[in-house]
Amino acid sequence: MVALVDLQAGHVVEYKGSSYTLADAIPAKHKFAITDILPLEEIIMYGVLVGRAQSHLPVGGLLSTGNVSHAASGFLTGNSHADWHKPDVSKWQNQTFNGYHRADGSVGTANYWLVIPMVFCENRNIEVLQEALVKPLGYGRKKTYEIKAQQLMEVIKNGGRMEEVLYTEIDGDTTQSAGNKLFPNVDGIKFLSHTGGCGGTRQDSTTLCGLLAGYITHPNVAGATVLSLGCQNAEVRTLQEEINKRSPAFNKPLYILDQQKTGKEADLLEQAIRQTLAGLMQANSCTRKPAPLNKLIIGLECGGSDGFSGISANPAIGYTSDLLVALGGSVILAEFPELCGVEQNLVDRCLDKNNAERFASLVSTYSQRAEEAGSGFYMNPSPGNIKDGLITDAIKSAGAAKKGGTSPVTDVLDYPEKVTQPGLNLLCTPGNDVESTTAEVGSGANVVLFTTGLGTPTGNPIAPVIKIATNTALFNRMSDIIDINTGTIIEGSETIEQAGERILDYVIKVAGGEIEVSAVRHGQDDFIPWKRGVSL
C-alpha cells in the first residue's frame, strides 16, 4: 500500500474493513507491506511481480532498497486476448482543433521552420545562423535574466560588496517584448544541433538520418534548411532516402547546402540566409484550419518520477490515451527499459502475432545488450526515483506502463520508425527523458504528455510538451514549468477518469494554438538523438 502522507510508526491504517498497524514510519510516496512477506518471497504490486523480499517484511513494514531487490516476470508470445471496452467519447465525437494541414494528409499543432546540421562539424554555422535570424525575425526570447544580470553588474561597477550582489533586491518585472514577428503564421525557426553524423558507426549515421527525416517530414514543420559538410558518414543521399520512406510525395521546401562544394563560409551562410527567408515566405502562407481529433498523435513520457506517478498522473494520461484511441487518434508508449515486468500484458494486447513477436524481440535484445555492457534494466531508477518511493525498476515500470492505458497495441516500432497506424503504438527508445521525447516526436508525435513527480523542464523544438505534476506540492513549487496538476487524484477531489478527460480538453486547446505550454514559453528546445548503445 502507498502512503499518501507521512505516517508514523504505530499508526493504524483502516482500509476496506482491514486494519494495518505500521511497524515503521512510512514517508509519503513509499510503500508498506499489507501481508507478512518472508525472505525471497514475491512482492506483488499493480498485479505484477515487482521485487523479492531480502529479509522478513512484517505487516506495516517499510519497503526499501535494504529489504527488497528487483525481480520481474518473464513473458511469452502467442496469448493475445486484446478485448477492449472503449470509453464513452460522445462528448468529443464532433470536436475539432485548429491545425496546420499538410499535403500528405497529416495535421500539425504548430508551424516551424527547421535549420539542421548533417554532422557536428556544422554546429558552429548553425549557431551563426541562429544569431543572425532569430531576433530580427521577431522570435527572440524575452530578456528577463539579461536585465537582472545587468542590474547586478551596475551594483559591482558602483563599488558594491559581495553581500550586496548576493542579496540586493532587483526589479521583479523585467520582461521585454520579443518583438513583432515578420512571419505571423510561423511559430518559430528552430535550430537543431547534435554530436553525430560522423566518427561513429554507419548504423548510427543512418539512424540519425532517419530521425532528422522524421523531423523534416513532421506535420509541425513547414520546411527546412540543411547544412552538410560534404564528406560525413551521414550522407545527404541517405537523408533523402529516409525522407522518401516517410513521405513519398514530399513537397515541402527543403534547402540542402554543401559547405565543401560551396567553398567560402561567408558564401555558404549568405546562401543559407537567403534560402531560409524564401522558405519562411512559403511557410507563412499556411494558416490554422479545423481538423478532426484523429489527426492527433500523442507521445507519452515520464521523467523525474515518484511514488505517486503510477497512481495519479500516469493512469490519468492512460485514460486520456484511451479516449484519443477511441476517437481514432494515435498514441506512442516508449521507454522500453521502463516496461520491465509488464511485457506480458503488452504482448497479450497486441492485435497480431507479428507485433507481439517484434515487441518481445526488441525488449529481449535491448535487455541483453544492457547486460553485456555490465548494466541492466534493474539499474534504471535514479537516486531521485528511489528517494521518492520507486525502489526497483519493476515498481517504476509497473507504474510507468499505466501511461499506455488499456487499449490494444496496433503497431510496434523500432527507433526511429514513423507512426502509421491509429491506436496504441509501442516505440523502442531508452528511458532517458530527452532521448525518448526526441524519438517520439521524430516518429510523428505532434503533442507530448510528460508526467513528473520531482519536476523537470524538458521540452522539444517542434512539439508542445505538456508537463503534468503527480502531486500538488510539486505543482505549486514549480508552477513556472508545470502545466497541469493531478495531485487532485491523491487528495481524492478528482477521479482518474475525470483527470484524464480534463487533460484531453487541455490537449485540444494546446493543439489548436489556444494555450502556450510552459516548455514552449521558456524556449525549452531539448534535442538528443539516441545512439544505439546502452542508454537506460
Side-chain angles (χ1 to χ4, degrees):
M1 194 173 292
V2 182
L4 303 183
V5 296
D6 291 341
L7 301 173
Q8 298 303 311
H11 179 81
V12 178
V13 176
E14 303 281 351
Y15 182 70
K16 290 188 175 181
S18 297
S19 298
Y20 307 96
T21 301
L22 299 183
D24 304 299
I26 313 297
K29 306 181 184 181
H30 283 260
K31 290 89 176 160
F32 61 89
I34 59 173
T35 186
D36 209 45
I37 305 174
L38 299 177
L40 302 184
E41 282 191 337
E42 295 182 345
I43 296 172
I44 305 298
M45 189 174 183
Y46 302 109
V48 298
L49 175 66
V50 297
R52 289 188 183 276
Q54 295 304 294
S55 58
H56 175 229
L57 275 169
V59 173
L62 172 69
L63 276 66
S64 70
T65 53
N67 56 30
V68 175
S69 64
H70 169 81
S73 299
F75 54 95
L76 300 169
T77 59
N79 299 317
S80 177
H81 46 76
D83 296 329
W84 182 49
H85 298 289
K86 293 183 180 181
D88 179 12
V89 292
S90 54
K91 173 183 173 182
W92 300 274
Q93 202 68 61
N94 299 313
Q95 199 161 345
T96 61
F97 71 97
N98 286 323
Y100 295 95
H101 294 247
R102 306 302 180 189
D104 62 0
S106 63
V107 179
T109 61
N111 191 36
Y112 288 106
W113 186 271
L114 285 182
V115 183
I116 303 176
M118 290 295 296
V119 62
F120 55 81
C121 309
E122 292 297 321
N123 281 346
R124 177 186 163 278
N125 286 333
I126 296 293
E127 291 173 2
V128 172
L129 290 174
Q130 185 172 9
E131 184 178 345
L133 292 169
V134 172
K135 288 184 180 179
L137 287 170
Y139 300 115
R141 301 267 296 281
K142 293 180 180 180
K143 298 182 177 180
T144 302
Y145 301 108
E146 182 179 336
I147 295 170
K148 288 178 184 288
Q150 288 173 350
Q151 290 180 7
L152 291 173
M153 290 176 199
E154 285 300 318
V155 173
I156 296 172
K157 289 177 183 178
N158 294 329
R161 302 186 310 276
M162 184 185 301
E163 288 75 13
E164 292 178 78
V165 173
L166 291 172
Y167 303 113
T168 296
E169 289 190 13
I170 54 178
D171 293 340
D173 185 16
T174 56
T175 57
Q176 290 186 352
S177 171
N180 295 322
K181 294 192 292 186
L182 180 61
F183 302 107
N185 295 324
V186 180
D187 293 303
I189 177 170
K190 297 296 183 176
F191 299 79
L192 309 185
S193 60
H194 57 80
T195 60
C198 204
T201 67
R202 292 300 173 93
Q203 181 192 24
D204 282 342
S205 294
T206 300
T207 301
L208 175 64
C209 287
L211 178 70
L212 298 180
Y215 274 71
I216 291 169
T217 59
H218 195 283
N220 288 9
V221 171
T225 303
V226 178
L227 300 189
S228 168
L229 179 61
C231 59
Q232 71 275 349
N233 283 345
E235 297 181 80
V236 169
R237 171 181 57 84
T238 306
L239 176 66
Q240 292 170 326
E241 290 171 355
E242 293 293 333
I243 289 173
N244 187 59
K245 283 182 187 177
R246 290 159 177 78
S247 181
F250 181 78
N251 68 345
K252 294 179 183 178
L254 176 64
Y255 303 106
I256 301 175
L257 297 95
D258 185 307
Q259 185 171 8
Q260 290 172 346
K261 287 182 180 178
T262 303
K264 294 180 179 178
E265 180 183 285
D267 294 338
L268 175 80
L269 294 175
E270 181 178 335
Q271 191 176 350
I273 290 170
R274 290 179 184 276
Q275 292 181 344
T276 298
L277 291 174
L280 284 165
M281 294 172 71
Q282 291 178 262
N284 196 51
S285 65
C286 191
T287 59
R288 290 185 181 271
K289 297 176 183 177
L293 299 187
N294 63 13
K295 294 298 183 179
L296 290 174
I297 303 175
I298 294 181
L300 307 169
E301 189 68 31
C302 57
S305 298
D306 69 353
F308 288 164
S309 294
I311 59 177
S312 63
N314 287 351
I317 70 169
Y319 190 71
T320 305
S321 301
D322 284 348
L323 291 172
L324 186 63
V325 170
L327 289 163
S330 304
V331 295
I332 306 172
L333 180 64
E335 301 178 288
F336 276 21
E338 297 178 11
L339 299 177
C340 182
V342 296
E343 297 97 339
Q344 189 65 62
N345 173 266
L346 292 168
V347 164
D348 292 346
R349 286 162 59 187
C350 288
L351 285 178
D352 65 64
K353 183 179 178 182
N354 289 339
N355 277 330
E357 291 179 346
R358 191 179 197 206
F359 173 63
S361 175
L362 286 170
V363 169
S364 298
T365 301
Y366 197 160
S367 178
Q368 180 183 343
R369 287 177 178 170
E371 296 284 352
E372 289 170 352
S375 185
F377 286 178
Y378 64 90
M379 296 183 72
N380 173 275
S382 71
N385 294 150
I386 294 168
K387 176 178 174 290
D388 273 47
L390 301 178
I391 60 173
T392 74
D393 185 49
I395 289 177
K396 183 178 179 180
S397 295
K402 297 292 183 183
K403 302 192 302 290
T406 60
S407 69
V409 174
T410 57
D411 207 359
V412 175
L413 307 171
D414 194 9
Y415 172 79
E417 294 171 347
K418 179 183 177 179
V419 169
T420 60
Q421 299 298 320
L424 175 60
N425 292 256
L426 304 181
L427 173 66
C428 183
T429 76
N432 177 294
D433 306 349
V434 177
E435 287 178 334
S436 183
T437 301
T438 299
E440 289 184 341
V441 175
S443 290
N446 50 18
V447 176
V448 176
L449 292 176
F450 191 118
T451 68
T452 181
L454 305 177
T456 172
T458 302
N460 182 265
I462 65 169
V465 178
I466 300 171
K467 228 62 69 39
I468 303 170
T470 70
N471 61 92
T472 301
L474 169 65
F475 180 73
N476 292 335
R477 187 173 66 252
M478 303 183 75
S479 58
D480 59 329
I481 65 169
I482 303 292
D483 303 295
I484 295 175
N485 179 31
T486 59
T488 49
I489 297 170
I490 300 298
E491 295 151 9
S493 63
E494 192 175 34
T495 66
I496 287 170
E497 292 76 17
Q498 288 169 338
E501 292 180 358
R502 175 165 58 92
I503 292 167
L504 179 58
D505 289 335
Y506 191 92
V507 166
I508 294 168
K509 290 180 180 179
V510 170
E514 298 175 51
I515 295 177
E516 183 180 63
V517 301
S518 60
V520 173
R521 185 169 61 253
H522 291 302
Q524 189 78 33
D525 294 339
D526 300 309
F527 179 80
I528 302 180
W530 178 32
K531 287 188 176 182
R532 291 303 293 258
V534 176
S535 177
L536 299 176

